[in-house]
Amino acid sequence: MYRRLTDLLDGTPFTDRFESAAPIMVGLRSSLTPTERERMERAVDITAGILDDATSEWTPDWTEAQFSEYCHSRMREDGLDSAWSWDGCPMVDGGADAEVGHSLPGDRTLPPGEVLHVDFGVRYDGYAADIQRLYYYASDKHPAPPEKLQDAFNDVRAAIDTGMEALEPGVAGYEVDAAVRKAITDRGWPEFKHAAGHTVGRNAHDAGPLLGPRWERYGERPERAVAAGEIYTLELGVETEYGYLGQEEMIEVTDDGATYFYPPQTELRVLSS
C-alpha cells in the first residue's frame, strides 16, 4: 500500500513529507488495555486447559497428528481460532526422532522414556496465547524421568528465569536475549538459533520490541526498549536423546520488573500408559 501511494504521488513534493507511524503503532499494539489483558488471560487459560484435557485423554497409540486433531476438535467446538496457522498449531513433536520446528504434526507415536513437546496457543476474541509444554512418557521400564533429562529441563528452566529477572522497563530487547543466551551456554548447551522472546497480543508474534540478538534479520527491533504493561514470551530449548526440551512462558512487564503472566511449567509432566 505504501508503494502504491508513492507511485500515485510520483513527481509531486508529497512523497518527501511522509513520516513513519511505526513508533505510534508499536506502542499502541504492545501496550494493553484492561479488556485486552483479560482476553489474553482467557486465551492462555483455554490453551492450558485444552492441553490438560488432551494429555488426560492421550493413549500411547496417539500420533502427533491425532494429538493435534484433539486440540483442533476442542477449538472447533468452542469457536476458537489458532494463534498462528491452523495446520501447525499446535506444533507437536513426539520423541527424539521428531523434526523440531514449525513443521506439521506427523504419524509418529511417542516412544516410552521420551518426551512429547507441544507448542500451542488459541486466539480468544481476537487475542492470542503462546506457550510450550513438555510431557515425559513413563512406563514400567521407564518409570520416571532420568537424571540427565531432569538436569536438562532444569537448565532450560533456569535460563527462562534468568530472562525474566533481566526483563524490566527501559531495558533493550537484545540485553534480555543476551542474559538468556549466556545462561544456557554457561550450562554447556549450544546457542539457540532464534530470539529469546517476543511480544504477544492480537498475534502470537506481535509488534513491539523483540527479545532477540542484534542479528541483521531482526532489524532494529532488538534495540527497542521494553515498557511496563507489555506481555512477552521467553522461549528456548535444547536437543536431548529423549527429545526436544522446549519451554515457552508468557511474562508481563511490571513497573519495576516482570512477573509470569501464567503459571510456568516448573517440572516435567508425566504421561502413563
Side-chain angles (χ1 to χ4, degrees), residues 9-263:
L9 296 176
D10 187 36
T12 75
F14 301 114
T15 54
D16 295 330
R17 301 181 188 176
F18 293 139
E19 292 288 342
S20 174
I24 297 171
M25 296 307 299
V26 164
L28 179 64
R29 287 293 291 267
S30 58
S31 61
L32 302 173
T33 67
T35 298
E36 290 175 310
R37 190 182 183 282
E38 288 173 6
R39 291 176 182 177
M40 288 187 64
E41 286 181 326
R42 185 63 180 138
V44 70
D45 278 342
I46 293 171
T47 298
I50 291 175
L51 286 178
D52 286 345
D53 291 345
T55 50
S56 295
E57 295 288 335
W58 176 88
T59 63
D61 61 346
W62 272 25
T63 64
E64 296 170 344
Q66 286 173 311
F67 190 101
S68 176
E69 178 51 32
Y70 177 90
C71 297
H72 284 167
S73 67
R74 290 287 304 276
M75 293 161 71
R76 283 190 290 265
E77 288 173 8
D78 295 335
L80 298 166
D81 293 328
S82 57
W84 55 92
S85 64
W86 180 270
D87 289 345
C89 180
M91 182 177 71
V92 185
D93 301 312
D97 290 337
E99 180 183 354
V100 176
H102 283 273
S103 55
L104 298 181
D107 59 2
R108 283 177 296 272
T109 57
L110 181 64
E114 297 190 15
V115 172
L116 179 70
H117 164 249
V118 184
D119 188 350
F120 185 39
V122 306
R123 192 189 307 273
Y124 172 79
D125 207 1
Y127 289 81
D130 188 5
I131 57 175
Q132 295 180 38
R133 292 294 182 257
L134 295 166
Y135 308 90
Y136 176 77
Y137 177 12
S139 65
D140 291 341
K141 189 175 181 180
H142 308 276
E147 184 177 357
K148 186 186 296 187
L149 174 60
Q150 188 63 58
D151 288 345
F153 177 91
N154 292 341
D155 287 344
V156 177
R157 177 80 261 142
I160 290 178
D161 287 339
T162 297
M164 194 186 77
E165 292 169 3
L167 192 59
E168 62 181 6
V171 69
Y174 73 85
E175 295 176 294
V176 180
D177 177 272
V180 177
R181 206 167 290 273
K182 184 176 188 301
I184 199 66
T185 56
D186 281 355
R187 287 168 170 77
W189 296 99
E191 181 179 9
F192 49 94
K193 303 302 182 184
H194 53 78
H198 54 81
T199 51
V200 187
R202 294 187 69 87
N203 296 312
H205 289 242
D206 217 320
L210 182 72
L211 309 182
R214 288 165 146 170
W215 294 345
E216 183 178 359
R217 74 177 193 244
Y218 292 140
E220 64 176 18
R221 290 186 65 194
E223 307 289 338
R224 295 175 183 166
V226 169
E230 295 172 341
I231 296 175
Y232 290 84
T233 66
L234 281 171
E235 58 178 293
L236 74 151
V238 298
E239 299 271 6
T240 76
E241 63 189 279
Y242 311 98
Y244 179 68
L245 297 191
Q247 299 182 47
E248 181 174 22
E249 305 293 352
M250 292 176 63
I251 294 171
E252 183 174 16
V253 182
T254 63
D255 290 336
D256 56 0
T259 186
Y260 283 104
F261 186 69
Y262 189 81

